[in-house]
Amino acid sequence: MQIHGKWLLIACMALASGLATAKGGDAAPEPLETLTMMHVDGQILIDTDGRVESFEVATKIASPLEAALLKLVKQWRFNPVLVNGVARRAGAKMRVVLAAAREGEGYRVHIDNVVFPGDAESDKEFGPSRVGHPEHITGRSLEYPLYPIVLQMHGIEGTVLLAILIGPDGKVEQVKPMQSMLFDLRGSDKALRKAIGLMEASARATARRWTFNMPASKRGGTPSERTVCVPVEYVMGAQVAPGQWRDVVRVPQREVEWLPPSDTAQGVGVADVASGEVIPLTGSMSLAIPVNGSPVM
């Protein structure tokens, strides 16, 4: 398996002089994780007992990897989808996020995460099979934040994943950067963290002015039901398509203060989202046993 990635050295660049000093000098800095990652989108259909009835890979990937992934997914078990207390067949769009680590002369691939984007298009694809899924919150006015000029000057790209609590009127009540990552970079941890901090500050400030379309069924919902995950991308060139490997540096996923622990919440991370998505935090599809870390090949 070949994995490609460009590297931009920023260890000694002038970035450090143009970035704000990090706040909270006494706090321990967040650890940074370097990974090589890929999105694989597909469509899954589960039976009433939570067994996988079918899984189709929509993303074009290498045949050996696709065969290994199909074999693995068919062994998974899901929690049955209940409608009025009755288990029903259910289908959904599913994204499998893969991570690769060097092992000898090749790479070992494992599952980093599995999410269910739950967009409107998947409703059309699955029709009656997509039962028990809540109505979707969609973006109404999502002004794009300004790209910090110092990051543009040094060609630094990345994504910030925001958790957004939306009020009954569709306005943003609270917003927090859940997790962030940089693309194709290496350098001093200090410079990398400062670059992430600039992106997060820009994204958070702009997101406070966003508005969303709030379905009537969610206006009186719990904070989890009214929270969505929205990626904010800072990119200057062509975006990496699903099915292509990319080197990333990311910080750990942070807790969101207004969210209580919930078995129905998706564990959405910054590497799990695609451009323009508004991903619900809760949904009907969930795995009975976590698969994160499972080897693929």
Side-chain angles (χ1 to χ4, degrees):
M1 178 187 304
Q2 293 184 335
I3 298 177
H4 303 281
K6 64 177 181 179
W7 291 94
L8 175 65
L9 184 64
I10 63 171
C12 301
M13 66 184 185
L15 173 65
S17 63
L19 296 173
T21 302
K23 296 181 180 179
D26 295 334
E30 293 180 307
L32 299 175
E33 184 180 23
T34 301
L35 294 167
T36 302
M37 310 195 76
M38 174 197 290
H39 284 181
V40 179
D41 287 331
Q43 300 171 349
I44 193 161
L45 183 65
I46 65 170
D47 209 336
T48 55
D49 61 358
R51 296 177 183 271
V52 175
E53 189 172 311
S54 67
F55 175 62
E56 297 179 2
V57 175
T59 301
K60 186 176 180 180
I61 56 178
S63 297
L65 179 58
E66 180 176 355
L69 186 58
L70 287 170
K71 181 180 179 180
L72 181 64
V73 171
K74 289 179 180 179
Q75 300 172 12
W76 293 352
R77 293 294 180 267
F78 289 76
N79 294 310
V81 174
L82 303 179
V83 179
N84 297 323
V86 179
R88 298 286 298 275
R89 293 172 69 245
K93 178 180 177 181
M94 185 173 76
R95 175 171 299 137
V96 180
V97 184
L98 304 177
R102 183 173 289 280
E103 190 174 85
E105 297 183 356
Y107 286 84
R108 176 182 178 273
V109 179
H110 66 271
I111 303 292
D112 185 72
N113 202 9
V114 178
V115 295
F116 305 92
D119 56 30
E121 287 303 312
S122 60
D123 280 340
K124 297 177 183 178
E125 294 167 8
F126 290 101
S129 295
R130 188 177 168 86
V131 297
H133 291 250
E135 295 179 273
H136 305 299
I137 298 173
T138 57
R140 182 192 308 162
S141 176
L142 306 183
E143 170 193 353
Y144 212 81
L146 295 176
Y147 205 134
I149 187 64
V150 67
L151 302 185
Q152 291 189 62
M153 289 171 58
H154 294 284
I156 297 173
E157 301 180 322
T159 299
V160 176
L161 181 64
L162 298 175
I164 302 176
L165 177 63
I166 305 168
D169 58 358
K171 294 182 180 179
V172 173
E173 291 187 349
Q174 296 193 58
V175 57
K176 179 173 182 174
M178 291 179 65
Q179 193 178 30
S180 300
M181 66 181 178
L182 301 174
F183 301 142
D184 308 321
L185 294 178
R186 66 182 178 186
S188 73
D189 286 358
K190 182 178 179 180
L192 293 170
R193 290 192 185 99
K194 286 184 175 181
I196 288 173
L198 271 185
M199 289 183 181
E200 290 183 346
S202 171
R204 186 172 190 170
T206 303
R208 293 184 183 279
R209 301 190 293 269
W210 289 352
T211 58
F212 293 80
N213 300 307
M214 175 66 75
S217 61
K218 285 184 174 287
R219 290 172 188 165
T222 65
S224 294
E225 292 170 337
R226 294 188 290 112
T227 297
V228 294
C229 303
V230 181
V232 179
E233 294 184 313
Y234 295 88
V235 294
M236 292 176 289
Q239 298 177 351
V240 173
Q244 295 182 344
W245 292 103
R246 186 165 206 175
D247 296 309
V248 306
V249 177
R250 68 182 179 187
V251 296
Q253 191 165 342
R254 307 176 183 114
E255 292 185 2
V256 180
E257 295 79 6
W258 67 83
L259 294 176
S262 172
D263 292 337
T264 60
Q266 293 196 77
V268 182
V270 67
D272 311 333
V273 294
S275 178
E277 290 183 330
V278 177
I279 297 183
L281 195 67
T282 59
S284 298
M285 300 287 286
S286 62
L287 283 154
I289 300 175
V291 298
N292 295 12
S294 301
V296 179
M297 62 182 304

